[in-house]
Amino acid sequence: MTPEEAVAEQLRLAPSVVPRAAEGFAPRVAAGLDVAYDGDRLVAAAACVDIETGERLDSAVVEGRTAFPYVPGLFAYRELPALRDALAALPASPDVLICDGHGIAHPRRFGLACHLGVVTGIPAVGVAKNPLGEYSPPARERGSWTPLTLDADEVGRALRTQDGVKPVFVSVGHLIDIDTATGLVLRLARRHRQPETTRAADHLCRAASVRTPGPRSRPAGG
DNA sequence: GCGACAG
DNA sequence: ATCTTGTCGC
């Protein structure tokens, strides 16, 4: 698929995003998703966490090959295939996806979290480390937030998950509203800047990547 | 025209 | 994302 076709597909799928939670939405299991790279090889991980207790539940790790370059705005085309494989490898489907990237806080309002949510039908939230739009620094205290703006639209929030740390950027992915998404991210990020789901997935795929012989893997060491 | 630009 | 030493703090 070419970048032009990818853009056309995003424009076609964007209207499918449902920016609100279904009646009685009460997620119990959240899945964190992340990918680690080693040249053109990659490892994707899905890690489930009990939202109530924080307990680590099922997880899955899969490997694959890079099929699309990193292009801002088309990030999903690089990680989506592997992330779908990781989700499919889970013994049970999670109630909500916590994605490492943006949802509607995207040029065409269809970032990774939206794409993943729409193709799986699972509610999804986007949590990015850096903004695409503009924002004013939130108050220093954990829980405070300010609007994230893009093209004069309020597309998400800059949320402070820990006192004095750089905020994370939360946006709606699919089948959830921004308030619910914000509360969920805050609950999942009790002790660190990033939600436990994202941290768990990051550790898993990174560890798997290190143990996998690849093109330009470490010269020596183990 | 030039730079910026989720991971 | 990944390349990289030391350093501050719980």
Side-chain angles (χ1 to χ4, degrees), chain A residues 36-43 66 209-210 212-218:
Chain A
Y37 297 86
D38 180 32
D40 63 338
R41 302 287 302 143
L42 60 78
V43 176
T66 304
S209 181
V210 164
T212 304
R216 15 162 255 202
S217 49
R218 289 57 43 189

Side-chain angles (χ1 to χ4, degrees), chain A residues 28-139:
Chain A
R28 190 184 78 75
V29 178
L33 304 164
D34 196 23
V35 175
Y37 297 86
D38 180 32
D40 63 338
R41 302 287 302 143
L42 60 78
V43 176
C48 295
V49 170
D50 184 304
I51 298 171
E52 194 66 35
T53 67
E55 176 189 3
R56 297 290 188 79
L57 304 174
D58 309 309
S59 64
V61 176
V62 300
E63 63 178 284
R65 220 168 252 291
T66 304
F68 205 88
Y70 167 64
V71 180
L74 297 181
F75 175 54
Y77 290 83
R78 185 173 172 72
E79 304 197 336
L80 202 66
L83 292 178
R84 293 186 70 171
D85 288 345
L87 281 174
L90 285 173
S93 186
D95 301 319
V96 60
L97 308 177
I98 304 301
C99 308
D100 196 2
H102 294 292
I104 62 175
H106 174 278
R108 290 168 289 282
R109 308 297 184 269
F110 200 69
L112 175 65
C114 296
H115 207 143
L116 213 37
V118 167
V119 301
T120 62
I122 301 173
V125 175
V127 180
K129 304 178 198 63
N130 296 291
L132 278 180
E134 308 74 51
Y135 74 100
S136 297

